Amino acid sequence: MKYVIGIIQPDRLDEVLKRLTEEEINLVTVSNVLGRGRQKGVAQVYRSHKEQGSLLKKIKLEIAVNEAFVERTVKAITDGAHTGQIGDGKIFVLDLPECVRIRTGERGNEAIG
Amino acid sequence: MKYVIGIIQPDRLDEVLKRLTEEEINLVTVSNVLGRGRQKGVAQVYRSHKEQGSLLKKIKLEIAVNEAFVERTVKAITDGAHTGQIGDGKIFVLDLPECVRIRTGERGNEAIG
Amino acid sequence: MKYVIGIIQPDRLDEVLKRLTEEEINLVTVSNVLGRGRQKGVAQVYRSHKEQGSLLKKIKLEIAVNEAFVERTVKAITDGAHTGQIGDGKIFVLDLPECVRIRTGERGNEAIG
Amino acid sequence: MLATWDRSIRPAGEARLVIGVLGALAVLGGTAAVARAGEQAAAAAPAVPVPARVDSGDTAWVLVSAALVMLMTPGLAFFYGGLVRRKNMLSVLMQCLMLLCLISLQWVVLGYSLSFAPGTGLIGGLKWLFLSGVGLEPNADYAATIPHQVFMMFQMMFAVITPALIIGAFAERMKFSSLCVFMLLWATFVYDPVAHWVWGVGGFLRQWGALDFAGGTVVHINAGMTALAAALVLGRRQGYPEGISPPHNLPFAVLGAALLWFGWFGFNAGSALGAGGLAGSAFTVTHIAAAAAGLTWALLDWLKHKKPTTLGMITGAVGGLVSITPASGYVTPAGAICIGIGAGLIPWVAVTYIKAALGYDDALDAFGVHGVGGIWGAIATGLFATKSVNPAGADGLFYGNPVLLWIQIKTVLITVVFSFVVGLVLLKLVQACMGLRVSEHEERVGLDLALHREAAYTVID
Amino acid sequence: MLATWDRSIRPAGEARLVIGVLGALAVLGGTAAVARAGEQAAAAAPAVPVPARVDSGDTAWVLVSAALVMLMTPGLAFFYGGLVRRKNMLSVLMQCLMLLCLISLQWVVLGYSLSFAPGTGLIGGLKWLFLSGVGLEPNADYAATIPHQVFMMFQMMFAVITPALIIGAFAERMKFSSLCVFMLLWATFVYDPVAHWVWGVGGFLRQWGALDFAGGTVVHINAGMTALAAALVLGRRQGYPEGISPPHNLPFAVLGAALLWFGWFGFNAGSALGAGGLAGSAFTVTHIAAAAAGLTWALLDWLKHKKPTTLGMITGAVGGLVSITPASGYVTPAGAICIGIGAGLIPWVAVTYIKAALGYDDALDAFGVHGVGGIWGAIATGLFATKSVNPAGADGLFYGNPVLLWIQIKTVLITVVFSFVVGLVLLKLVQACMGLRVSEHEERVGLDLALHREAAYTVID
Amino acid sequence: MLATWDRSIRPAGEARLVIGVLGALAVLGGTAAVARAGEQAAAAAPAVPVPARVDSGDTAWVLVSAALVMLMTPGLAFFYGGLVRRKNMLSVLMQCLMLLCLISLQWVVLGYSLSFAPGTGLIGGLKWLFLSGVGLEPNADYAATIPHQVFMMFQMMFAVITPALIIGAFAERMKFSSLCVFMLLWATFVYDPVAHWVWGVGGFLRQWGALDFAGGTVVHINAGMTALAAALVLGRRQGYPEGISPPHNLPFAVLGAALLWFGWFGFNAGSALGAGGLAGSAFTVTHIAAAAAGLTWALLDWLKHKKPTTLGMITGAVGGLVSITPASGYVTPAGAICIGIGAGLIPWVAVTYIKAALGYDDALDAFGVHGVGGIWGAIATGLFATKSVNPAGADGLFYGNPVLLWIQIKTVLITVVFSFVVGLVLLKLVQACMGLRVSEHEERVGLDLALHREAAYTVID
Ligand SMILES: Nc1ncnc2c1ncn2[C@@H]1O[C@H](COP(=O)(O)OP(=O)(O)O)[C@@H](O)[C@H]1O
Ligand SMILES: Nc1ncnc2c1ncn2[C@@H]1O[C@H](COP(=O)(O)OP(=O)(O)O)[C@@H](O)[C@H]1O
Ligand SMILES: Nc1ncnc2c1ncn2[C@@H]1O[C@H](COP(=O)(O)OP(=O)(O)O)[C@@H](O)[C@H]1O
């Protein structure tokens, strides 16, 4: 199993979720993060004090999937989040040795979906 | 070492923390996430516009533990978070090759606790 | 490749970011978390009801790096976050088998930087 | 006209007390009947002819005061809302807004008439149902220099905020539909009668010479005692006390307290029903008592917990405002400072020790602050009142007159018993018919989503 | 003086309507010319000599009212701001603040003169440019008991909030610079003329006997119709309707609604321009209509969505305040309840069904609430007005006089057409010169950062 | 009575200035002694007999104004609070609330007497300690048509907000206990004397003919200069300037600014102490100056940073309100626009360039806005004042009278020196006794948790 982490632009979330649904990847965990990447932040101004604002709002997705779904997941995220502009984000794929569904106590591949 | 990630219902947090303490697992990192799972969200209504609200508030726990503690951690989370209803959440266990305590510079098994 | 997770004190963020920049580690994802560790929280008081406040505000950093950068990353975080007091935090290093840059579709070592 | 107490009691005080309470309970069974009777009684007693003319300055002040008191209900919503958990924020705001709408209409339809129309000693008549006869000319019985409708509106705002105060006791767990029904009943069977007793022409407590300038009894004791009943009937929130998170947004609570303080100038100084010396005096003592009480609570926190807390300070200030309310037209600045100190101290003890000891879950201390603070204020009026401030008032114990204190204590007792008992009965009634408390699941999810299909704040947007 | 309608219409009603609209459009081409002419015309007609003396009570009330109405613009900013997405919060606040500054100055420079200076039936003269001649003595044409400057300031606050209402239609996508230019034009070519027609001495709708106590036509229909035009011209937000997140901070919206409600007492009761019975009556019906409308909307939500919503309740209350505005000096409490129920129902239908059916993106329902609610209010004035409340008014249909209703309908039609058409023309003009809408990228990033280089809230600090 | 300046200066202006400052410093050593002497002096000079009668309209307006000014302190709390970091939000609210309580009581006990009781030119007497003799009859020396207590309460609110303004300079790093002690001293040794000089009967600046309608000198310069001293004495926050996060909640800052603006109508127009033409004029120019200044700052931001900022606009508006304060009873709308433009420009320069150049950390620009804006306002009063607005005032430079400007400049200098020096001395004194600044650790953790054991917002609940 793999643990897929995606960092995307906030306004691409809806699109990514739609693509994931189309691929029947319904289970996903989402959170707010700030990212520093190649994208230059816009300088914020407070009473003429400029704040470089290098940390930009991003959305983080976490999706645990079986091996068979990894590429589909990556593709769904990429398709939904891609705009071709700097700041589009990254996907990280980690190994996931174990997974437990709290409700049933199931483990492994059965638990993940 | 393992890196245990748990996604639970917000109102089970207190119970889970209590169980973890009982197992002498005191170190834990907690954050707000939104989850899309099997649980159907309640439709929100704004001026008669229905918002499906598929993303529900969840709590994410991250706990780095030595191998010996993995099962106890999983059990503590499961026991604390289990209600038997859809939406109870998941536990993911990742491998953790290295760990550093910033204060002392200790590494590995010593650093984790 | 490695996926480095750092949990630090909120007020050390600026310093850590500076150190990372000095090491030419520009890409980083930051988020708010609450941590329970060795550090004892300050008891909060609400109408004479004491709330132990065991969960303290922390900042979580996530940095995906090539192997060659792992030690520099750990050192930059450690240097920036270290105060010698309890609560300084932890660094966790996970294996990262795969990485994708959404904008270009690049994979692996090229995508990470 | 409030100074007629001296010949009214002593002999049959206790008997009257009992009769009063019983009579009041009887109201529950037959408000309309009693009221109609009262109407006839009143018809027999012609009002003293007072030359009534609208004064623009007085009217301006009471209009402003009515607007200020109206603002207190949203103020209270934020004061309370900031203290609950994030998932219940809107439910508190919604409850307050609903009362603002619902009780305003109840007041128009029958509340004002039951409270202020000529009637018996126990309840007003039905003459002013649907505001018939409540016109733009002054009604000299209540205020000779402002339009009758303005007096009615000013009083409406009191009728609205009083039930809203009760919300604090059952926050985070009450069914919304039951709340609406209960509050309609409560306004009709508790608020309106008590308002009549104390303020209505012919009201029996007014006859006795009980002093309640701006509603210590009618508003605060009344709401506070039913709040206690509600806390007992509904039971504790899940996880109380350890598992309840701290206030989700203290700045909102501070905002609410600020709006309450601001509005209270209308509440108390507006109760002079004109813009003159008495309003000025009420304004002064209101502010001073709030300041003294806020400081006192902060200092007590400082002593006990090593640090002064913001929540403590605003709670104290609200307590001070509560306690000065009945006294605000009768005491000097020095009296106000004393009342304020007591208002910091006594509710602080109630909230810190008594609540913890007895274990009821008065979630936002509606009883602890309004009930206890209101009782202190009513009694303190019996101590500190002086005719030097208001010749239409009376002298209190410290000005050589023990009788007033006794009247005030009796008034408190009657109101305490009446509000608690009738509140309890109404709660049980609603509980039997439709339930009072949300399901365990709804409580966990939070009332905002469960009962209103909304979230106060977005997490990601 | 508003009761001259009975001999004015019937015969040539339609002809006048057409002339009126055409004439009004002509204004666009030659405001100044028309105005100068008007000035001369006015000079010929000497004002009726009324002994004018400043009354301190009336002045106090109108000063307070002006302050209250001023507070409505920030109130509106929070009402609207709470409903947008986090990334656009400041843009809404900034737009409202900018209008507060900009239109205040426009009013001083020429707006007040165009609206209220003696002129023609279509526009005021230029006599009071830069407030010259607007002094501290009363102007008996408008208010005989308060300083002229106080009347001018009270009216200024109306001129400020009206364009601010329009913001709701194009929130989250309008260029800030274009907004400033558009609003300056709109104030001059739409607001000022309409204010003159309805309220200015010699204004043609006033001559007809149209009743608009506090601005249902001038403020709400006017803003609402241009809002509709703006929603159409600017087009939908990206992702509308599914991709738009829910309100980012409903408590702020509730706070805004509370401040609006509070300020509306100044808006409506202040429009009596004195502190007496009429102000009291306006105060009363304003509150009652708001309560009835809030309750109605909540009940409709309860019926349709199984749960009453907070947003529904405050939207309804604001709708009630909108609808009672033109009627507030002419109707009884019973009339207010009827108007309030209509004000809950009709905008609810507009927002729930019509908006969805037609598919325009009136982001915060500026048209749905203010336009539709304002139209209902103006027509309802023709139904429920009664001379028993205000002898200077007129009787409506339900009091036996169908003529008023007809006048009101014509007034509505004229304003609807004028505001929509001229609003549209001005929008197209600004669009042609400098564009109206931010770039797709700026819309995605959010206006706060893109246009103002600020973020409303920090994420980490 | 303020027009006696023409014969008072020229010859011995400088000498008097020196004497004045020295004399003022002497106050520090012997307030009580001086005061007692003053009392006797005053006893010798009987007040001119003026027939004093309470006017309900005037009283209504001043009551409202007092309530409005009271609301400014919470308004300021939110204005400031929104600008600090999340972890210090409550500390700012708490400081403002504490001053509201503490200084109100100080005012009752001795502040009012020191400021307004008959005394010497340098300090009021002790006759009115504990408000003895401050009753419900008017005191014709100050306001012949409102109860004396109402005047006292109105002035109290000024005494409260002035020290609260200083908070902006040392936000996020001051010890709470030291703040309480320092502020008590400051109110007694700085505010009360300066209030007496300018407004007290017999106050020497008043004798000179210095014009300060609503407190430009007494409130803003006074607070602003001590703020500067505080910024210097306490030193910079850790990480200043780069490491300081942006404002944590700009909507709260906007809310605060809106409440300030709203309250300022009471501040300035209430200072007319009656509801008539003068109040109307003050109301008008107050609003216009705020609008002009807000617009100016926004435009300057637009020029320099390509985008107008919300924070800039509200800062400008507050600056405008500050600057118009001393002039608000003496200038025309045109004068107000000029003052407003200056009030946008000059503090903008101070905050943008001077603060950066000098490197002191005036965290929320208490000096930059209130000090600098207050100085501009006091001087501008010497330029734009005209007797055509207020015959009791004087003509300024642009109305042909250079003397007033000179008086204003001297007044500014005296106040600047006095507030800065005495403020500094008091700060050093408190620093020596109990320290001023929290520990490095407490500053890192945030004052909310470290000093008050509370968190403004929950993270998870
Ligand atoms: N190596 C990395 N480690 C952690 N987070 C990263 C890394 N690279 C990118 N990110 C996250 O992805 C976001 C987008 O990256 P950025 O470089 O701006 O986009 P792009 O990949 O289009 O050049 C960053 O803001 C950051 O949050
Ligand atoms: N495969 C997954 N990847 C990421 N997050 C998941 C996954 N499965 C579940 N979750 C998280 O766990 C939460 C609970 O899942 P859900 O399916 O509703 O519960 P249950 O396991 O009881 O059926 C989800 O809202 C989501 O946040
Ligand atoms: N084993 C762990 N698993 C998850 N989070 C941890 C773990 N150990 C520490 N943390 C995080 O690091 C933070 C700091 O840890 P703490 O023990 O207080 O510091 P120190 O390492 O200086 O003793 C904690 O609040 C928690 O968020």
Side-chain angles (χ1 to χ4, degrees), chain D residues 44-72:
Chain D
V48 187
V50 175
R53 231 190 100 259
V54 169
D55 176 279
S56 65
D58 290 345
T59 304
W61 174 237
V62 183
L63 283 171
V64 172
S65 293
L68 287 172
V69 182
M70 177 268 164
L71 189 63
M72 290 175 72

Side-chain angles (χ1 to χ4, degrees), chain D residues 54-64 66-67 135-137 146-154, chain E residues 57-62 65 154 213-214 264-287 324 327-331 389-391:
Chain D
V54 169
D55 176 279
S56 65
D58 290 345
T59 304
W61 174 237
V62 183
L63 283 171
V64 172
L136 303 180
E137 291 306 305
I146 64 175
H148 191 180
Q149 267 189 19
V150 173
F151 174 76
M152 180 277 298
M153 286 306 293
F154 180 64
Chain E
D58 291 345
T59 304
W61 174 238
V62 183
S65 293
F154 180 64
F213 193 70
W264 227 295
F265 291 124
F267 202 92
N268 286 0
S271 289
L273 298 172
L278 186 57
S281 173
F283 192 102
T284 304
V285 297
T286 297
H287 185 80
I324 196 67
S328 54
Y330 308 111
V331 299
V389 168
N390 184 349

